Amino acid sequence: MTQTHDSSIAPGSSTLGVEIPQVTARAKVLGRALYAGDLKVAGMLHGKVLRSPYAHARIVSIDTTAARALPGVKAVLTGEDAPAQLWGVHHKERAVLAKGVVRFCGEEVAAVAAVSEEIARDALDLIQVEYEELPAILSVEEAMDEEAPPVHPGRANNIGHEIEFARGDVEAGFAAAHLIHEATYTTHSQYPGYMEPMATVAAPDPDGRLVLWTSTQAVNLVRMQVAATLGLPVSRVRVVQATTGGGFGGKIVEDDNQLVAGLLALKTMRPVRLVNSRLEDFQACCASVPERITLKLGMDRDGLIVAKEVRIVAECGAYAGLAGDVMHVSAMRSDNMHRNPNVRSHATLYYTNNPPRGAFRGFGGTQMQFALNSHIHTMAQQLGLDPVLVHERNALRAGEVSVHGWQIGSTGLVECLQQATEAIGWAEKRLRPKDTGVKRRGVGMAAAMHVSGNRTIGNWDGSTVIVKINEDGRVFIISGECDMGQGASTMISQIVAHELALPLAHVFVVPPDTDVAPVAVGTLASRVTMSAGNAAIVAGRKAREALFALAAPRWGVAPEALSIGGGAVFVTAQPEQRATLAELARQSVWRHDGGGIQVEGRWDPKTVMHDDALFGNIAAAYSYAAQAVEVEVDTETGRVTVLDSYVADDCGKALNPIAIHGQTNGATVQAFGWALYEQLHYDESGRLANGNFADYTMATADAVPMLRGGFVESMDPNGPYGAKGASETAILPGAPAIANAVEDAVGIRIRDLPITPEKVLAALRARKQEEARDA
């Protein structure tokens, strides 16, 4: 699937590899794109949710009498009105509306539908709930206590998930090591920070089916969850993706918004729009999984890793969701970067009474790469080696198989390392004299890998793309894969336009709609370019073959004698003998046994689900990135400023360089925020104290340098025209690169994110006191 030239396609018409605006950009810039919160349906009601003020409490009673009596209120629902069926990704443990007990501050207790938002809000104020506050478990340490009460009855020791595996002979590896280093790192939750809060419009259609227009990354997963939870056959639920204003993992299938909206619509038999406020979104959306990682590495004198041991304690909050899958990635994905045959990991996920944690861009890779890259940097220093050299010596090469059975078809990791460090002036800046003034500079780097697809949800990681050629010669593309701003629609459009040699403006991707789109996994695990891209190639070529089969009899030639370009099919040797796509599309319909030109392309990677021992080749390709940064540390204030940054991204083949740069830059800024600024603050009762963009500090323009970056095109053998996923890998190296640069600048190692001024000053004081004692 890596060929980029086809003799039957007219030259000069393709946008592959060309910087072009996203096909959705114009509608968004002009304000014409319709998000779920913009939609209005005749007779529409407005939904609002009453949320628990307590992290853990028994619901003694709920009195909705006054709320129901308020003019304009059409429904007031509590747990007694909700289905008995619980929901969740792996563990069915969460009620649509809480029944009997609430387990986190912000959990959904009651829902209202009214003729206006104002009346719905007033109705919430009239609902009287009597709670009996219960002891809350607000930390992993409390959850691990043998005497701790269970967050969920029957969940022994508050464990939500556990992973344990070993490969090779870890003890022998450590015994042979020249250097062994062990340290513990802690990472914190990060809110996805998308511009559009979670929103859904739910409505019964004239036949009583439930239709949802929603902000989502996975229409089919939403349909399955809504149907199963609300007790409907899956065919009685239709999910349409509205324009989605960012997802970053937070809009896969872990939010209650769609279920509450659907329940209100079914109870009122009226359309209901439910839009989270920003505070509600902070409370309800799954932030990333916090982890405490204890890492032990053994290296020989040359910096080759000979043994690795990982222990992870992670927290999922009140409900597990996808947190166990995230922890799984932390526990084992980074093992596949290196040639080390001896690895051992034990990871445990604990319930608490904090809000649920779950999927986030990078999906567990960020947590472990912070620990691993910090660790490698420290050990390289102890061995007197450049950490870049240590990464290069240990990197798996193309054609090799990792310790977990991952088959590396392509890798540009070494090239990414070289590109990023050369761009930052790594060698020269590491040799310069150390600053001794108040403000001191340092450089740091880190490397990472990610997947392009993930055969772990079930034994299918493929995609289906339908191409329909209309009677005007233009093309509709129908797919269930979602564009949440990352450019999936543009990528699919480019591929089909390339295969049919059409202008991009003549190709339109229909918004995902489960009534008409083929089944799809959705936008997660950087899988869409790989799976949907390859399916689009298959569909585009099938469409071309159908056109050639129609055109060939016109001129008495074989289909192989034809070419396509400029909106027409023509005889390659006699270009004047031509027929437009519109003519051929009409010809296909208006004839005996005719019909429109509509073809389906399917593609499923030849990957292998991991077995019970977690061994298997789960992705069609693996992406890589490296980042180098220069920081300045103010030793009087503790402030860390990133002065320069360069990210090198192995995307296989850059199908649209400007789009990939945009994704890389966005990921880089999210990494800066996680490393230096963002932190969710809860009071002693479990209430979120900074659930808004004024108090939740994110990286803004004045905190970000000119973002620089480049590509390494490793041309993956399985990717569409050699491409791989390119939206997530770039977030992974940012935090450790900054931590390594801080250490280079002022000689302190911060292992507890975020790297705040307070932590920097405390570490500087501790070092000064230690130096005074030694003196």
Side-chain angles (χ1 to χ4, degrees):
M1 301 300 296
T2 59
Q3 73 176 57
T4 57
H5 174 71
D6 188 323
S7 59
S8 65
I9 301 174
S13 58
S14 179
T15 63
L16 293 181
V18 178
E19 293 194 347
I20 57 168
Q22 291 199 20
V23 295
T24 57
R26 184 176 179 83
K28 292 178 179 178
V29 170
L30 294 177
R32 294 174 182 168
L34 291 176
Y35 298 83
D38 297 323
L39 298 177
K40 296 179 181 179
V41 182
M44 186 178 78
L45 302 175
H46 299 267
K48 291 293 177 185
V49 173
L50 182 69
R51 299 178 182 276
S52 168
Y54 298 107
H56 192 203
R58 186 171 68 87
I59 300 174
V60 178
S61 65
I62 303 179
D63 186 352
T64 62
T65 306
R68 293 178 192 273
L70 185 67
V73 171
K74 301 301 180 182
V76 181
L77 307 181
T78 69
E80 297 305 314
D81 305 297
Q85 176 63 48
L86 302 179
W87 66 277
V89 178
H90 299 294
H91 305 314
K92 307 303 178 186
E93 58 192 4
R94 184 172 176 180
V96 177
L97 296 171
K99 292 184 179 182
V101 64
V102 290
R103 292 186 173 88
F104 71 94
C105 185
E107 184 163 8
E108 300 83 358
V109 174
V112 170
V115 296
S116 72
E117 289 194 40
E118 293 75 13
I119 292 174
R121 279 195 292 266
D122 290 343
L124 291 186
D125 293 336
L126 295 175
I127 299 173
Q128 300 296 315
V129 185
E130 181 184 351
Y131 296 96
E132 178 191 344
E133 192 171 3
L134 301 172
I137 296 173
L138 300 177
S139 70
V140 168
E141 288 71 25
E142 293 175 295
M144 295 171 67
D145 191 309
E146 292 182 357
E147 298 182 0
V151 174
H152 292 275
R155 289 285 177 189
N157 303 316
N158 286 311
I159 294 175
H161 189 54
E162 196 164 10
I163 298 166
E164 194 166 6
F165 62 82
R167 308 261 193 261
D169 191 333
V170 177
E171 296 305 330
F174 280 123
H178 172 71
L179 174 66
I180 297 173
H181 178 56
E182 184 172 2
T184 297
Y185 304 83
T186 58
T187 64
H188 60 303
S189 280
Q190 183 177 16
Y191 172 65
Y194 36 61
M195 293 296 288
E196 178 211 20
M198 192 65 207
T200 302
V201 174
D205 73 5
D207 294 322
R209 298 170 71 237
L210 181 63
V211 183
L212 296 95
W213 296 267
T214 189
S215 182
T216 181
Q217 299 175 219
V219 289
N220 283 279
L221 296 184
V222 171
R223 181 177 70 156
M224 287 189 291
Q225 179 164 277
V226 169
T229 307
L230 300 186
L232 299 170
V234 72
S235 297
R236 300 289 291 172
V237 178
R238 175 188 177 196
V239 178
V240 183
Q241 187 200 20
T243 302
T244 299
F248 309 117
K251 295 180 180 177
I252 297 176
V253 71
E254 296 182 278
D255 199 286
D256 201 20
N257 181 280
Q258 293 135 349
L259 293 168
V260 174
L263 182 63
L264 286 169
L266 291 175
K267 293 294 184 179
T268 61
M269 291 307 292
R270 297 266 297 272
V272 177
R273 185 172 69 188
L274 181 62
V275 181
N276 286 353
S277 69
R278 184 57 65 180
L279 173 59
E280 287 181 304
D281 211 84
F282 266 94
Q283 292 175 318
C285 174
C286 289
S288 62
V289 176
E291 297 181 2
R292 185 173 70 235
I293 300 167
T294 300
L295 175 61
K296 181 180 178 182
L297 277 187
M299 290 185 183
D300 68 12
R301 295 178 186 274
D302 297 320
L304 293 176
I305 300 171
V306 295
K308 178 182 182 182
E309 183 174 25
V310 175
R311 298 188 304 280
I312 299 174
V313 173
E315 179 200 346
C316 62
Y319 301 103
L322 286 165
D325 303 81
V326 172
M327 184 182 71
H328 176 121
V329 169
S330 297
M332 67 182 301
R333 182 168 294 170
S334 69
D335 297 342
N336 302 281
M337 282 176 64
H338 300 136
R339 209 172 279 110
N340 169 38
N342 305 307
V343 298
R344 182 165 60 210
S345 187
H346 186 189
T348 311
L349 182 73
Y350 287 92
Y351 289 106
T352 67
N353 290 115
N354 288 318
R357 310 306 189 197
F360 188 94
R361 189 180 206 165
F363 205 86
T366 45
Q367 293 91 323
M368 189 62 210
Q369 291 294 354
F370 170 64
L372 180 61
N373 278 278
S374 298
H375 220 69
I376 287 175
H377 190 276
T378 299
M379 296 182 75
Q381 283 185 315
Q382 293 173 354
L383 291 171
L385 299 172
D386 187 331
V388 176
L389 181 63
V390 174
H391 279 286
E392 291 177 350
R393 286 178 175 174
N394 286 283
L396 279 167
R397 286 350 193 235
E400 294 188 87
V401 179
S402 78
V403 67
H404 296 307
W406 293 18
Q407 298 173 20
I408 311 302
S410 67
T411 170
L413 178 56
V414 172
E415 292 83 355
C416 285
L417 288 163
Q418 294 168 350
Q419 188 182 101
T421 52
E422 287 175 8
I424 206 82
W426 172 260
E428 300 83 0
K429 289 178 178 177
R430 288 186 75 238
L431 293 174
R432 68 188 176 191
K434 295 296 181 185
D435 296 330
T436 57
V438 172
K439 295 183 176 181
R440 305 177 188 179
R441 296 187 175 190
V443 291
M445 56 74 56
M449 77 173 301
H450 194 61
V451 294
S452 292
N454 197 0
R455 191 180 288 266
T456 56
I457 293 177
N459 197 18
W460 180 62
D461 192 27
S463 191
T464 304
V465 171
I466 295 170
V467 168
K468 177 184 178 183
I469 302 178
N470 297 313
E471 290 87 336
D472 59 358
R474 300 195 177 206
V475 172
F476 281 179
I477 303 170
I478 305 169
S479 164
E481 311 292 1
C482 295
D483 191 323
M484 56 187 180
Q486 88 284 19
S489 294
T490 306
M491 176 272 299
I492 296 173
S493 297
Q494 284 182 274
I495 288 175
V496 173
H498 170 81
E499 292 298 333
L500 297 178
L502 282 171
L504 203 61
H506 289 196
V507 175
F508 176 72
V509 178
V510 178
D513 178 342
T514 57
D515 265 13
V516 296
V519 174
V521 174
T523 303
L524 49 102
S526 293
R527 58 175 300 282
V528 174
T529 293
M530 178 62 63
S531 289
N534 274 314
I537 292 175
V538 175
R541 292 178 181 174
K542 280 187 175 182
R544 191 185 347 146
E545 289 168 4
L547 291 165
F548 285 5
L550 284 165
R554 283 188 169 213
W555 306 296
V557 299
E560 294 76 19
L562 300 176
S563 293
I564 190 168
V569 172
F570 54 90
V571 178
T572 308
Q574 296 175 293
E576 68 278 4
Q577 293 186 320
R578 60 195 304 111
T580 67
L581 268 59
E583 291 173 320
L584 293 170
R586 291 192 294 269
Q587 173 188 330
S588 179
V589 174
W590 303 109
R591 56 175 178 150
H592 282 292
D593 300 320
I597 301 175
Q598 181 169 305
V599 299
E600 178 182 280
R602 294 187 178 190
W603 190 83
D604 187 24
K606 292 179 172 57
T607 48
V608 180
M609 283 190 75
H610 59 66
D611 57 21
D612 292 342
L614 304 180
F615 188 88
N617 184 40
I618 61 166
Y622 302 98
S623 304
Y624 299 84
Q627 183 171 359
V629 300
E630 182 175 15
V631 306
E632 182 178 78
V633 182
D634 188 320
T635 57
E636 291 184 347
T637 66
R639 180 181 179 184
V640 177
T641 303
V642 181
L643 302 175
D644 195 8
S645 168
Y646 192 99
V647 178
D649 200 342
D650 169 21
C651 58
K653 166 67 179 176
L655 299 181
N656 184 0
I658 194 172
I660 300 173
H661 274 304
Q663 288 300 300
T664 297
N665 291 346
T668 301
V669 174
Q670 280 188 313
F672 288 174
W674 189 56
L676 297 173
Y677 307 113
E678 298 181 43
Q679 193 165 22
L680 295 163
H681 293 289
Y682 298 90
D683 64 21
E684 65 280 357
S685 63
R687 293 185 180 90
L688 180 64
N690 61 333
N692 58 75
F693 283 151
D695 298 322
Y696 181 78
T697 308
M698 302 175 75
T700 52
D702 62 347
V704 177
M706 178 63 70
L707 296 171
R708 301 192 297 133
F711 308 129
V712 170
E713 295 186 313
S714 59
M715 300 304 294
D716 191 84
N718 297 318
Y721 314 114
K724 299 189 280 193
S727 293
E728 291 191 82
T729 320
I731 198 174
L732 304 175
I738 291 171
N740 290 337
V742 168
E743 196 274 341
D744 183 55
V746 292
I748 59 170
R749 170 61 60 182
I750 304 294
R751 299 186 181 90
D752 175 25
L753 291 178
I755 304 171
T756 61
E758 294 82 359
K759 291 175 185 176
V760 171
L761 291 176
L764 289 171
R765 284 194 299 270
R767 190 188 64 179
K768 190 173 182 180
Q769 292 169 357
E770 184 178 338
E771 289 172 349
R773 286 195 302 270
D774 292 343

